[in-house]
Amino acid sequence: MNLLPNAPLTETRKRIVPPRTTSPTVPTVRAAAPPLAPGALPGLGHAAALLRDPLGFLGSLARLGGVVRIRLGPRTVCVVTDARLVHTLLVALAHDCPRGAVQDTLRTAFGDGLLMSEGQAHRDRRRIIQPVFGPDRMAGYLTVMHQVTEERAGRWRPGQILDVAAEMNHLALEIVTRSLFGARLSEDATLAFHRALPDLVKGQIVQSLYPHPAFARLPLPVNRRFDAAVRVLNRVVDQAVNGPAGTARPDRNRGSLPALLRAATDPATGRPLTEADVRSEAITMFGAGTETVSTTLTWLLDELLRHPEVEARVLAELDEHLPAGTTPTPEALGRLVYTRSVTQEAVRLHAPNAFLMRTAQVPVDLGPYRIPAGTELLYSLTALHRDPVRYDDPLSFRPERWQDGGRLGRPSFLPFGAGKHKCIGEAFAWAELTVAAAAILRRWRPVAVPGSHAREVVWTTVQAQGLRVRLAPRTQPAAVAEGPARTEVVNRPLPAGCPFTGTAATTAVPAPRPSAALRAAADRHADWTVRHGLLAPAELPGYRAYALHELIGHAFPRARGTELDLLVDVLGWFTVLDDRFDGPPGRRPAEAHALVDPLISALDGDVRPATPDDRLLTAWRELWQRQSESASPAWRARAAGEWRACLATFPAEAEHRARGTVPSLGLADTMRLRRHGSCLYPFMNILERVHGADAPAALHAEPALHRLRANTADAATLINDLYSLEREERQTAAAFNTVLTLQRIRGCTRSRAVRAVRARVVRLRQENEELRRDLGRRHPAGRWYLDGTRELVAGVQAWTSTSDRYLVPGGRGR
């Protein structure tokens, strides 16, 4: 909750600061002058280097000493580069080194409140405000934080593109307004606040660099914008403090910050605080409680996007200690040990303070250095937290560095300052980061828009700009569930003498989401097939009887919104393609190649114009684009390769039929064709698309995972073969079905072949459970993927046992 204004100097990338192999240079003579940084330019000094790459320049100074002099035009500034000396500056020397020029420029906007005051005035004001952030208030704040985030996230929509920085800024402002002020800002006031803040902080930076304070009174454009921003911020704060114009003051919110301030007296005068005092503290809380938290939330989401294994562990911990639908409590947050490590690492790596300043009012000693009176002292928490002497591999996001205490702590870690000016709202800020991130991640799975990432833009804060995500629902929240219950039980009879179970019992199949959501997806898919010319309207009734949406519903229970639509469309498209090969292309290799080769070429980026008759190709190009958008290069390459293998089975099967070689195929050859031709490998890849991130690369490199994927494809294929057996027996073309293959090569009866296939499915499932246990133990971040392969097989069985896809008129059991 430090006030970290964000007037930008430049955009920069994180860069490696050359490591110090020894401690900072220590002069042999006590009270020596700090060394002067090389590279000063005539007239400009080091200003050009600071403006060009603030973090790189400040980080590089640590090699020269714990305090280093730089020149900014005619001014000499001492940069404190050592964390322990910064701690000394903020604690032991706090009285002698009050706030510096950068903060002084904000007096016009913030007055002489907690942020700007010093000495006894600061201590008195801090005592007045401290009860607002007392431990007894935290439970109430957590409830408001959770409610505000749920409400705002509940207004987002599947597929929506979100500007993360802007949205987090709005969220943080709303949390502060409702938590501390018990008020709600109008939308106009909220937008005005966000538009004014950049002009405020730009003016702050520019005015702090003026050679004389009188320049701030000149009618320069930057000064006029700064003054206008101050007026806007005061109007917004007045609305939060006093309510809309013409309404009574909200002093009925007796626990709010304004009510507390109005009930207090000034210890120096014995009089009540003035309305100017109330406004000063209010605007401080608005600025401090919005900018830094929203920036850190943006960086946190960016890091989780790039580290899905970390996100998976956070979600698992939330499931254990803060179940969905529960209001967070201080005790629950205390149990989120790993999540706290993640937020600490985000704050360390992306400490919002690019630089802050103090001024030595008297001569002081700072470590071995003598600092003359009047010297401005600058320090960068961002640079300190990336110091390779203090932090191993400092530019890597490694939450585990905090899990054993990491041998880290003050004075190395100073995100909220230290000493008497330490941020009064530190506990509030940590709680807000955790509660807001938890509520967002439980409801939504953000997927980075291609070409979008968070960029470091440095003003006095290190901004995260440019991150845009597409929203995919992660779960169906109870508050918006369709119908009276979140799940339904679909009771549909299995065929008598079910070929898989061998029984005639009726099985209750649990539907993974409200049926209304699946029916809506089925309706959208029907429109999609007609729009692309894949089916005529008259063909829809028979096609819809297949209930393909129910297969997706069972096999992908967490798919929602655009992901659900994509899965149903892909499965429907593949079904239409598969049915096409029941006709002539299934027996004529040339026609099969003419149909499939353009589909394979599309995976390689072939965009040659399609003819009006190439409806499958046109639809396929759209589907491949929808599958691969936002995907990593590794995912795209893997998915494209497995789609090629899948599509290539159609001409291969046509070749066997044309040559009459189907009866001579052995079980291994049949299984290889069926394994890839059943589309299971591509759908295992779409598990990652639905999740929003690749399974860990180390997991993909495991031979055991390759075995599990093959077993998954085989088990689902064999289940499909059992239920499609009657239909395929009646086809005129030779069928690739493992039951029929077993009958041929073993010379056994149909029932014995069915029993053998059923037994094989059982063995595959047992082997996969052993593989999951082993892989899950070694790759816990990939458990969601391992579990998804199990759900895929279970979904195929649930659907094939109930769908009309394999219904044979007059067949057995019907």
Side-chain angles (χ1 to χ4, degrees), residues 527-748:
D527 293 340
W528 183 84
T529 59
V530 172
R531 187 168 67 253
H532 282 277
L534 299 178
L535 295 171
E539 297 175 294
L540 283 178
Y543 174 78
R544 296 191 69 155
Y546 296 166
L548 298 176
H549 60 287
E550 291 187 6
L551 170 53
I552 296 302
H554 291 301
F556 295 87
R558 278 164 289 283
R560 300 287 189 276
T562 53
E563 274 69 29
L564 179 61
D565 288 342
L566 171 64
L567 286 160
V568 177
D569 288 347
V570 171
L571 180 61
W573 176 87
F574 186 79
T575 301
V576 172
L577 174 69
D578 186 58
D579 285 350
R580 188 74 62 89
F581 282 87
D582 288 342
R587 300 182 296 275
R588 300 171 184 170
E591 290 185 27
H593 279 288
L595 193 58
V596 167
D597 289 352
L599 304 176
I600 294 176
S601 297
L603 296 166
D604 300 318
D606 186 351
V607 293
R608 284 177 291 182
T611 67
D613 292 333
D614 290 340
R615 292 163 184 163
L616 278 165
L617 174 59
T618 302
W620 171 240
R621 284 174 172 169
E622 180 205 294
L623 288 175
W624 176 240
Q625 193 276 330
R626 285 163 60 190
Q627 288 176 74
S628 57
E629 66 180 355
S630 305
S632 70
W635 185 95
R636 194 177 292 111
R638 184 170 63 252
E642 287 168 355
W643 269 117
R644 289 188 194 98
C646 171
L647 295 171
T649 61
F650 290 105
E653 290 180 356
E655 291 277 0
H656 282 296
R657 293 191 185 103
R659 295 175 182 174
T661 53
V662 175
S664 62
L665 281 177
L667 184 61
D669 291 332
T670 301
M671 283 305 304
R672 272 195 293 270
L673 281 172
R674 299 288 292 121
R675 177 183 299 155
H676 290 285
S678 62
C679 199
L680 265 296
Y681 276 107
F683 271 95
M684 280 187 276
N685 292 326
I686 299 179
L687 275 173
E688 297 171 284
R689 172 66 170 72
V690 171
H691 185 73
D694 294 7
L699 176 61
H700 271 299
E702 288 274 6
L705 182 72
H706 300 173
R707 179 65 176 271
L708 183 141
R709 281 164 56 90
N711 287 354
T712 298
D714 287 353
T717 298
L718 292 173
I719 291 169
N720 184 277
D721 284 355
L722 289 166
Y723 283 96
S724 65
L725 179 58
E726 287 190 53
R727 181 183 183 218
E728 292 178 341
E729 282 179 317
R730 300 190 178 204
Q731 291 178 181
T732 56
F736 291 84
N737 184 293
T738 50
V739 176
L740 300 178
T741 301
L742 278 175
Q743 284 185 261
R744 287 196 307 268
I745 64 176
R746 294 184 180 177
C748 64

Side-chain angles (χ1 to χ4, degrees), residues 118-139:
E118 293 285 351
Q120 187 62 43
H122 176 82
R123 288 192 292 273
D124 290 342
R125 192 61 57 86
R126 192 177 181 100
R127 288 193 192 99
I128 292 172
I129 296 174
Q130 187 66 58
V132 173
F133 296 102
D136 58 315
R137 298 287 189 95
M138 190 54 65

Side-chain angles (χ1 to χ4, degrees), residues 229-495:
V230 171
R231 290 192 294 271
V232 168
L233 262 63
N234 275 285
R235 286 199 300 271
V236 172
V237 170
D238 282 342
Q239 183 181 124
V241 171
N242 299 316
T247 65
R249 294 189 317 196
D251 286 344
R252 61 184 179 276
N253 297 317
R254 296 183 179 179
S256 70
L257 177 64
L260 185 72
L261 292 170
R262 289 185 175 118
T265 57
D266 186 338
T269 65
R271 298 173 182 172
L273 299 183
T274 67
E275 284 302 306
D277 292 328
V278 174
R279 181 186 295 108
S280 175
E281 302 305 346
I283 199 169
T284 295
M285 294 304 162
F286 267 101
T290 300
E291 185 65 23
T292 55
V293 171
S294 65
T295 297
T296 305
L297 268 174
T298 303
W299 283 120
L300 176 60
L301 292 177
D302 179 70
E303 291 293 351
L304 292 178
L305 280 172
R306 292 188 283 116
H307 297 87
E309 71 284 359
V310 174
E311 181 191 52
R313 286 190 63 182
V314 168
L315 287 168
E317 188 174 67
L318 292 174
D319 287 339
E320 182 177 358
H321 298 299
L322 191 62
T326 60
T327 300
T329 64
E331 294 74 21
L333 293 192
R335 292 191 290 270
L336 300 177
V337 178
Y338 183 73
T339 302
R340 177 60 180 255
S341 298
V342 172
T343 57
Q344 283 181 288
E345 182 67 351
V347 169
R348 180 201 68 81
L349 182 55
H350 302 290
N353 301 81
F355 59 86
L356 292 169
M357 297 183 75
R358 294 289 187 269
T359 301
Q361 289 188 326
V362 297
V364 297
D365 289 339
L366 194 56
Y369 306 105
R370 185 67 170 173
I371 309 298
T375 301
E376 292 177 289
L377 295 151
L378 181 150
Y379 61 96
S380 168
L381 294 183
T382 312
L384 292 176
H385 291 170
R386 297 178 182 179
D387 185 349
V389 170
R390 302 290 181 188
Y391 300 94
D392 294 335
D393 194 11
L395 297 184
S396 294
F397 184 74
R398 289 172 43 195
E400 63 273 12
R401 74 171 84 236
W402 300 96
Q403 289 190 277
D404 58 354
R407 298 181 302 280
L408 302 173
R410 301 191 188 285
S412 297
F413 188 54
L414 302 167
F416 295 93
K420 67 178 185 177
H421 290 295
K422 180 184 175 185
C423 177
I424 197 171
E426 178 178 7
F428 185 98
W430 283 120
E432 184 178 358
L433 287 172
T434 302
V435 172
I440 291 169
L441 293 173
R442 281 203 174 284
R443 184 183 287 262
W444 296 104
R445 179 174 51 77
V447 180
V449 172
S452 164
H453 62 280
R455 303 186 309 276
E456 286 188 338
V457 178
V458 181
W459 296 84
T460 52
T461 56
V462 184
Q463 291 278 291
Q465 295 185 9
L467 178 61
R468 296 167 66 244
V469 299
R470 181 175 52 81
L471 296 171
R474 194 182 299 277
T475 61
Q476 182 74 19
V480 296
E482 300 164 277
R486 296 184 64 187
T487 60
E488 295 181 357
V489 174
V490 179
N491 291 289
R492 299 182 63 177
L494 295 176

